[in-house]
Amino acid sequence: MEFAADLRLLRTKAGTPSYREMGRAAHYSATTLSEAAGGRKLPSRAVTLAFVRACGGDEADWEQRWHAVAVELNGKSATTPSDENVTGAPYVGLRAFGPDDANLFFGRERLVDEIISKLDRERMVLLFGASGSGKSSVMRAGVVPALTAAGDTVLLFTPGARPIERCSVRLGSMLGMTAGAVMDECLRDDRGLHRLVAQALDGCDDDATMVIVVDQFEEVFALCEDEDERAKFIKALTTAASTPDSRCRVVLGMRSDFFTHCSAYPALLDAMPDGQVVAGAMSAEELRRAVAEPARRMKCTVESALVADLVAQAYGRPGVLPLVSHVLLQVWARRSGNRLTVSGFQAAGGLDGALSRTAEDVFTGLDKAQQQLARALFGRLVALGKGTEDTKRRLDITELGDDPDLAVVLEAFTAARLLTRDQDGVEITHEALIRAWPRLHGWLHDDRESLRLHRQLTDATDAWESVGRDADALYRGTRLALTLDWTSTHDTALSPREHQFVEASRSAEVRSSRRLRRLVVLLSVLSLLAVTATVFAVRAERNATAQRNAIRAQVVAGEAAALYPTNPDLAVQLGLAAYRLAPSTHTRDGLLSTLPLSVVRHASEVIAVALSSDGRTMATGSDDHTVRLWTIADPRAPVQLATLTGHTQPVYSVGFSPDGRTLATSSFDRTVRLWDVADPQHQMMATLTSHTEAVAAVAFSPDGRTLATAGHDRTVRLWDVADPRKPAELTTFTGYAEALYEIAFSADGRTLAIAGDEAVVQLWNIVDRRHPSALATLTGHDQGVHAVTFSPDGRTLATASDDRTVRLWDVTDPRRPIALPPLTAHNDGVYTVAFSPDGRTLATAGDDRTVRLWDVTDPHRATGLVTLSSHTDAVEVVVFSPDGRTLATGSWDSTVQLLDTDFEQTIARACDHVQTAITRAEWDSYLPGLPYEPPCPG
């Protein structure tokens, strides 16, 4: 891109400063500025101007150029997904990565290595993981290619309802034998499979081995109804692996909720202690690789903001990987040129909404008759759990029938990659659809007993046909009566085969004179069954309803937070509906993220916020070079008092003196300015010009007589500001190798904490302001430290770093600080920390766009309280009001939000934020299947 080439030329003319140096000047990360010059995408206007400013270019000229390029590109960008757009995609959506996708499979290298290493020591390895943890992809795209590359022969299959038959088909193909002959050998005795493996390796090197990889091993328990076949299959596998002269090793992958099923089989139980591997949640770095690397292989890029957003939302969540893969495929379909964008992510519905939206779009595109067929089809495609989660079920082609409308349904869901078809049958692409699509989850809840009855009818039809339609295999008595009652309202759900079975059963029963003699008994049995069924149905309904509501509420809560910046009325009501549907930490946080008391704005990124000691005035500093003063006596209705315009570059820091009469501001323009904010004219009283580079931080001592300033020139300076119109420099701290970002006084004013890019924090004794002495150096962070603050009692210090951690230190004795357990919930660099006035709460925020509140009553055991996610860019600063009732958060999204820290009261008053009630169409779009109940009156 010519635009990017010219940016690189501008940097060269400026002396080729490092991107790190430019980042300090521009207040953007080195990565962001490097990407701006890389040419893979057009940088934002703000990033472009920051880049130009850091290189001393003409901002007005570059702004005109940026607008011209943006207009040209917008006319060419793809906005609508199509089959062409997803052809050759580096993401696989809901389906598992396969051996052919190994070059696109990233993030699970550590787990694959663990399995291979364990397989070197053990004959049988069992991989357990929650549904959606990526087990199948690990097995197929990780383990199988690794084994094949090592020269092993691999036999890969899923067991289905007939595991021995499945194994025989695959092994027979390898041996050149019929599946029947292989199956007979396997069933002859326990060593049959062992002999067949030896035969397959005949002629190979003596150390050659075959590895049998059984993916989705839980199907042995969930789909195989024949206990004898199940036991023989497990015995065959364990014998083949454990026989002393065996050349076979076995890898089984299964859902963790089937763990206890294995304990019923001693051979599997014996393998567990040494052969068990758990597919846990991916680390943040693993998630980053899984998101970004496949696109890079296709010479495309993923916007760093999108990577950060996906990692932040997916990190630590069980079963989230299919949602990540699906939304990435949708974003790929909406890519702009060679980049995947945040706007494409939002258009796809976000992480929690993309899969549900895709399914809803397909379903609502069908007519009513087809929708009824879709409901019946998905009922067949799910195996209902018995003490476990529901599981997908492969549907044989013979069950489908030849209804032309059903063909339309199949084609629609297959085209959307929600179903997978081949010549033999169809199945749900991934079980994540069962959890993530509220409509399907609702069907399964509402029709649970009905689906069980239907599944029994399908199995009975199969059995009837397998014995040549023998009359003895037909339904009679109670089973027939229950089935006839069910078919009276579900006739359209039956396949032609099942219709024939029911009619044959009905005719046989009519011909039987025994029906009349057993009528009384039948009625008694039916009554007993009805009572029993009611008891179990009520219990099952309660559990299923709770599960369904929790899933649906979690999805809606995430959508509510994402909607807040563009549609706050709808966001509040969705958040409130989700919280009422299933109160939880997640839904509460989602609701609170839509309920700031008020929002104020700058023309550009907000970098600094400070509140006066009486809590009535707020100062905000911005990348737009201005400082704005606001009256927040009523935090619900801030009023701008003045705009201070003395600085010529971005304002980095603002701070009120303890008496609230003086405001100190610092800027990239290398100056610190003191303002008389008690004067209605807000006159500037003095300008401090000793720093030689950007001044990043200002802080008043508790007595207000001393001002500390710190900057990128690697110095800290103390100033006597007893008379702020005549400040005098007291001393200068030097000797730092990197830029300094933050300074903080202890509550007694005797200690000063200094932090910067060196990844350490230094404590100084400043009782003698002219001759400070070093107390201690705190080490523990791995990257630069952006923020430091003392607790009100001075006994605890909090530090925040680019290494994504917040560290707490016991500084009761500042000469011997003690490290306390770190806070590690953030998924990106942490920029700011603040203690509440009572010292019981700590607020933290940073580049992951979240604001987190922690209970630090006991700093040795800090616990998370609330996570807020309503900002759309990095959060630079958090500040508590003096009474602790309000929290101000300033962000690179150009806003400052004022939040009420009484969260119960905030939720109770949620509807105060709403002017227009949610419409029925909006309700049905986000909460399909639930009665329309607007949470707030219009």
Side-chain angles (χ1 to χ4, degrees), residues 885-905:
R885 298 179 61 182
T886 304
L887 180 70
T889 64
S891 169
W892 293 5
D893 65 9
S894 305
T895 70
V896 178
Q897 296 186 5
L898 296 177
L899 312 168
D900 189 337
T901 58
D902 185 340
F903 299 122
E904 291 186 6
Q905 176 176 272

PDB file of all heavy atoms in Angstrom, residues 885-905:
ATOM      1  N   ARG A 885     -18.223   6.158  46.555  1.00  0.00           N
ATOM      2  CA  ARG A 885     -19.512   5.773  45.961  1.00  0.00           C
ATOM      3  C   ARG A 885     -19.496   5.824  44.449  1.00  0.00           C
ATOM      4  O   ARG A 885     -20.409   5.313  43.797  1.00  0.00           O
ATOM      5  CB  ARG A 885     -20.618   6.674  46.517  1.00  0.00           C
ATOM      6  CG  ARG A 885     -20.803   6.538  48.028  1.00  0.00           C
ATOM      7  CD  ARG A 885     -21.881   7.465  48.549  1.00  0.00           C
ATOM      8  NE  ARG A 885     -23.162   7.181  47.951  1.00  0.00           N
ATOM      9  CZ  ARG A 885     -24.278   7.874  48.205  1.00  0.00           C
ATOM     10  NH1 ARG A 885     -24.232   8.891  49.062  1.00  0.00           N
ATOM     11  NH2 ARG A 885     -25.410   7.559  47.621  1.00  0.00           N
ATOM     12  N   THR A 886     -18.481   6.466  43.867  1.00  0.00           N
ATOM     13  CA  THR A 886     -18.407   6.605  42.415  1.00  0.00           C
ATOM     14  C   THR A 886     -17.032   6.192  41.931  1.00  0.00           C
ATOM     15  O   THR A 886     -16.026   6.464  42.586  1.00  0.00           O
ATOM     16  CB  THR A 886     -18.686   8.066  41.994  1.00  0.00           C
ATOM     17  OG1 THR A 886     -19.938   8.485  42.512  1.00  0.00           O
ATOM     18  CG2 THR A 886     -18.698   8.192  40.468  1.00  0.00           C
ATOM     19  N   LEU A 887     -17.007   5.527  40.800  1.00  0.00           N
ATOM     20  CA  LEU A 887     -15.756   5.149  40.152  1.00  0.00           C
ATOM     21  C   LEU A 887     -15.741   5.782  38.773  1.00  0.00           C
ATOM     22  O   LEU A 887     -16.692   5.616  37.998  1.00  0.00           O
ATOM     23  CB  LEU A 887     -15.638   3.628  40.029  1.00  0.00           C
ATOM     24  CG  LEU A 887     -14.362   3.103  39.363  1.00  0.00           C
ATOM     25  CD1 LEU A 887     -13.151   3.337  40.268  1.00  0.00           C
ATOM     26  CD2 LEU A 887     -14.497   1.609  39.033  1.00  0.00           C
ATOM     27  N   ALA A 888     -14.668   6.505  38.451  1.00  0.00           N
ATOM     28  CA  ALA A 888     -14.502   7.093  37.123  1.00  0.00           C
ATOM     29  C   ALA A 888     -13.495   6.270  36.334  1.00  0.00           C
ATOM     30  O   ALA A 888     -12.430   5.908  36.854  1.00  0.00           O
ATOM     31  CB  ALA A 888     -14.027   8.537  37.233  1.00  0.00           C
ATOM     32  N   THR A 889     -13.819   5.950  35.082  1.00  0.00           N
ATOM     33  CA  THR A 889     -12.933   5.151  34.223  1.00  0.00           C
ATOM     34  C   THR A 889     -12.724   5.893  32.912  1.00  0.00           C
ATOM     35  O   THR A 889     -13.682   6.251  32.235  1.00  0.00           O
ATOM     36  CB  THR A 889     -13.532   3.762  33.944  1.00  0.00           C
ATOM     37  OG1 THR A 889     -14.760   3.906  33.203  1.00  0.00           O
ATOM     38  CG2 THR A 889     -13.835   3.034  35.242  1.00  0.00           C
ATOM     39  N   GLY A 890     -11.474   6.130  32.557  1.00  0.00           N
ATOM     40  CA  GLY A 890     -11.151   6.827  31.313  1.00  0.00           C
ATOM     41  C   GLY A 890     -10.534   5.883  30.314  1.00  0.00           C
ATOM     42  O   GLY A 890      -9.687   5.051  30.656  1.00  0.00           O
ATOM     43  N   SER A 891     -10.921   6.001  29.047  1.00  0.00           N
ATOM     44  CA  SER A 891     -10.549   4.998  28.044  1.00  0.00           C
ATOM     45  C   SER A 891     -10.078   5.634  26.753  1.00  0.00           C
ATOM     46  O   SER A 891     -10.389   6.788  26.431  1.00  0.00           O
ATOM     47  CB  SER A 891     -11.753   4.095  27.758  1.00  0.00           C
ATOM     48  OG  SER A 891     -11.542   3.282  26.626  1.00  0.00           O
ATOM     49  N   TRP A 892      -9.350   4.819  25.993  1.00  0.00           N
ATOM     50  CA  TRP A 892      -8.939   5.236  24.654  1.00  0.00           C
ATOM     51  C   TRP A 892     -10.126   5.307  23.697  1.00  0.00           C
ATOM     52  O   TRP A 892      -9.960   5.700  22.545  1.00  0.00           O
ATOM     53  CB  TRP A 892      -7.894   4.266  24.101  1.00  0.00           C
ATOM     54  CG  TRP A 892      -6.586   4.312  24.840  1.00  0.00           C
ATOM     55  CD1 TRP A 892      -6.292   5.030  25.962  1.00  0.00           C
ATOM     56  CD2 TRP A 892      -5.401   3.598  24.515  1.00  0.00           C
ATOM     57  NE1 TRP A 892      -5.007   4.806  26.368  1.00  0.00           N
ATOM     58  CE2 TRP A 892      -4.432   3.925  25.500  1.00  0.00           C
ATOM     59  CE3 TRP A 892      -5.059   2.709  23.511  1.00  0.00           C
ATOM     60  CZ2 TRP A 892      -3.137   3.396  25.477  1.00  0.00           C
ATOM     61  CZ3 TRP A 892      -3.775   2.174  23.494  1.00  0.00           C
ATOM     62  CH2 TRP A 892      -2.825   2.525  24.464  1.00  0.00           C
ATOM     63  N   ASP A 893     -11.310   4.879  24.144  1.00  0.00           N
ATOM     64  CA  ASP A 893     -12.494   5.054  23.291  1.00  0.00           C
ATOM     65  C   ASP A 893     -13.047   6.473  23.382  1.00  0.00           C
ATOM     66  O   ASP A 893     -14.162   6.753  22.931  1.00  0.00           O
ATOM     67  CB  ASP A 893     -13.571   4.011  23.622  1.00  0.00           C
ATOM     68  CG  ASP A 893     -14.140   4.173  25.037  1.00  0.00           C
ATOM     69  OD1 ASP A 893     -13.848   5.184  25.715  1.00  0.00           O
ATOM     70  OD2 ASP A 893     -14.874   3.259  25.471  1.00  0.00           O
ATOM     71  N   SER A 894     -12.263   7.379  23.995  1.00  0.00           N
ATOM     72  CA  SER A 894     -12.570   8.817  24.083  1.00  0.00           C
ATOM     73  C   SER A 894     -13.636   9.147  25.113  1.00  0.00           C
ATOM     74  O   SER A 894     -14.182  10.250  25.101  1.00  0.00           O
ATOM     75  CB  SER A 894     -12.996   9.373  22.704  1.00  0.00           C
ATOM     76  OG  SER A 894     -12.017   9.099  21.736  1.00  0.00           O
ATOM     77  N   THR A 895     -13.947   8.215  26.001  1.00  0.00           N
ATOM     78  CA  THR A 895     -14.988   8.461  26.993  1.00  0.00           C
ATOM     79  C   THR A 895     -14.468   8.287  28.410  1.00  0.00           C
ATOM     80  O   THR A 895     -13.485   7.583  28.659  1.00  0.00           O
ATOM     81  CB  THR A 895     -16.190   7.510  26.814  1.00  0.00           C
ATOM     82  OG1 THR A 895     -15.793   6.182  27.172  1.00  0.00           O
ATOM     83  CG2 THR A 895     -16.712   7.540  25.399  1.00  0.00           C
ATOM     84  N   VAL A 896     -15.171   8.956  29.330  1.00  0.00           N
ATOM     85  CA  VAL A 896     -15.032   8.701  30.758  1.00  0.00           C
ATOM     86  C   VAL A 896     -16.395   8.249  31.251  1.00  0.00           C
ATOM     87  O   VAL A 896     -17.402   8.919  30.992  1.00  0.00           O
ATOM     88  CB  VAL A 896     -14.588   9.957  31.537  1.00  0.00           C
ATOM     89  CG1 VAL A 896     -14.515   9.657  33.030  1.00  0.00           C
ATOM     90  CG2 VAL A 896     -13.250  10.455  31.030  1.00  0.00           C
ATOM     91  N   GLN A 897     -16.433   7.103  31.929  1.00  0.00           N
ATOM     92  CA  GLN A 897     -17.686   6.611  32.485  1.00  0.00           C
ATOM     93  C   GLN A 897     -17.658   6.795  33.995  1.00  0.00           C
ATOM     94  O   GLN A 897     -16.646   6.528  34.651  1.00  0.00           O
ATOM     95  CB  GLN A 897     -17.889   5.133  32.143  1.00  0.00           C
ATOM     96  CG  GLN A 897     -18.034   4.870  30.658  1.00  0.00           C
ATOM     97  CD  GLN A 897     -18.374   3.422  30.344  1.00  0.00           C
ATOM     98  OE1 GLN A 897     -18.599   2.615  31.242  1.00  0.00           O
ATOM     99  NE2 GLN A 897     -18.428   3.093  29.065  1.00  0.00           N
ATOM    100  N   LEU A 898     -18.772   7.259  34.548  1.00  0.00           N
ATOM    101  CA  LEU A 898     -18.940   7.375  35.992  1.00  0.00           C
ATOM    102  C   LEU A 898     -19.855   6.248  36.444  1.00  0.00           C
ATOM    103  O   LEU A 898     -20.967   6.090  35.925  1.00  0.00           O
ATOM    104  CB  LEU A 898     -19.532   8.739  36.353  1.00  0.00           C
ATOM    105  CG  LEU A 898     -18.648   9.944  36.007  1.00  0.00           C
ATOM    106  CD1 LEU A 898     -19.366  11.241  36.337  1.00  0.00           C
ATOM    107  CD2 LEU A 898     -17.322   9.878  36.752  1.00  0.00           C
ATOM    108  N   LEU A 899     -19.377   5.441  37.396  1.00  0.00           N
ATOM    109  CA  LEU A 899     -20.076   4.229  37.804  1.00  0.00           C
ATOM    110  C   LEU A 899     -20.432   4.306  39.281  1.00  0.00           C
ATOM    111  O   LEU A 899     -19.632   4.775  40.097  1.00  0.00           O
ATOM    112  CB  LEU A 899     -19.195   3.000  37.560  1.00  0.00           C
ATOM    113  CG  LEU A 899     -18.530   2.910  36.184  1.00  0.00           C
ATOM    114  CD1 LEU A 899     -17.481   1.826  36.178  1.00  0.00           C
ATOM    115  CD2 LEU A 899     -19.572   2.638  35.126  1.00  0.00           C
ATOM    116  N   ASP A 900     -21.618   3.843  39.626  1.00  0.00           N
ATOM    117  CA  ASP A 900     -22.046   3.744  41.026  1.00  0.00           C
ATOM    118  C   ASP A 900     -21.496   2.436  41.599  1.00  0.00           C
ATOM    119  O   ASP A 900     -21.742   1.361  41.056  1.00  0.00           O
ATOM    120  CB  ASP A 900     -23.575   3.753  41.101  1.00  0.00           C
ATOM    121  CG  ASP A 900     -24.090   3.874  42.534  1.00  0.00           C
ATOM    122  OD1 ASP A 900     -23.353   3.530  43.473  1.00  0.00           O
ATOM    123  OD2 ASP A 900     -25.240   4.311  42.706  1.00  0.00           O
ATOM    124  N   THR A 901     -20.742   2.512  42.688  1.00  0.00           N
ATOM    125  CA  THR A 901     -20.143   1.297  43.260  1.00  0.00           C
ATOM    126  C   THR A 901     -21.103   0.525  44.152  1.00  0.00           C
ATOM    127  O   THR A 901     -20.751  -0.546  44.649  1.00  0.00           O
ATOM    128  CB  THR A 901     -18.879   1.645  44.062  1.00  0.00           C
ATOM    129  OG1 THR A 901     -19.220   2.583  45.092  1.00  0.00           O
ATOM    130  CG2 THR A 901     -17.821   2.256  43.151  1.00  0.00           C
ATOM    131  N   ASP A 902     -22.310   1.046  44.377  1.00  0.00           N
ATOM    132  CA  ASP A 902     -23.345   0.279  45.077  1.00  0.00           C
ATOM    133  C   ASP A 902     -24.071  -0.531  44.018  1.00  0.00           C
ATOM    134  O   ASP A 902     -25.055  -0.087  43.424  1.00  0.00           O
ATOM    135  CB  ASP A 902     -24.309   1.219  45.806  1.00  0.00           C
ATOM    136  CG  ASP A 902     -25.343   0.463  46.644  1.00  0.00           C
ATOM    137  OD1 ASP A 902     -25.555  -0.741  46.369  1.00  0.00           O
ATOM    138  OD2 ASP A 902     -25.938   1.069  47.548  1.00  0.00           O
ATOM    139  N   PHE A 903     -23.576  -1.741  43.764  1.00  0.00           N
ATOM    140  CA  PHE A 903     -24.062  -2.500  42.608  1.00  0.00           C
ATOM    141  C   PHE A 903     -25.496  -2.988  42.787  1.00  0.00           C
ATOM    142  O   PHE A 903     -26.243  -3.092  41.813  1.00  0.00           O
ATOM    143  CB  PHE A 903     -23.110  -3.656  42.327  1.00  0.00           C
ATOM    144  CG  PHE A 903     -21.718  -3.206  42.006  1.00  0.00           C
ATOM    145  CD1 PHE A 903     -20.636  -3.640  42.758  1.00  0.00           C
ATOM    146  CD2 PHE A 903     -21.485  -2.327  40.969  1.00  0.00           C
ATOM    147  CE1 PHE A 903     -19.349  -3.211  42.472  1.00  0.00           C
ATOM    148  CE2 PHE A 903     -20.205  -1.887  40.673  1.00  0.00           C
ATOM    149  CZ  PHE A 903     -19.134  -2.328  41.430  1.00  0.00           C
ATOM    150  N   GLU A 904     -25.882  -3.293  44.011  1.00  0.00           N
ATOM    151  CA  GLU A 904     -27.271  -3.705  44.224  1.00  0.00           C
ATOM    152  C   GLU A 904     -28.213  -2.559  43.888  1.00  0.00           C
ATOM    153  O   GLU A 904     -29.253  -2.752  43.247  1.00  0.00           O
ATOM    154  CB  GLU A 904     -27.463  -4.160  45.670  1.00  0.00           C
ATOM    155  CG  GLU A 904     -26.757  -5.475  46.001  1.00  0.00           C
ATOM    156  CD  GLU A 904     -27.095  -5.963  47.394  1.00  0.00           C
ATOM    157  OE1 GLU A 904     -27.952  -5.340  48.054  1.00  0.00           O
ATOM    158  OE2 GLU A 904     -26.503  -6.980  47.836  1.00  0.00           O
ATOM    159  N   GLN A 905     -27.846  -1.364  44.325  1.00  0.00           N
ATOM    160  CA  GLN A 905     -28.676  -0.207  44.008  1.00  0.00           C
ATOM    161  C   GLN A 905     -28.666   0.073  42.517  1.00  0.00           C
ATOM    162  O   GLN A 905     -29.701   0.431  41.926  1.00  0.00           O
ATOM    163  CB  GLN A 905     -28.149   1.017  44.767  1.00  0.00           C
ATOM    164  CG  GLN A 905     -28.878   2.309  44.433  1.00  0.00           C
ATOM    165  CD  GLN A 905     -28.382   3.477  45.273  1.00  0.00           C
ATOM    166  OE1 GLN A 905     -28.869   3.714  46.371  1.00  0.00           O
ATOM    167  NE2 GLN A 905     -27.412   4.204  44.747  1.00  0.00           N
TER     168      GLN A 905
END
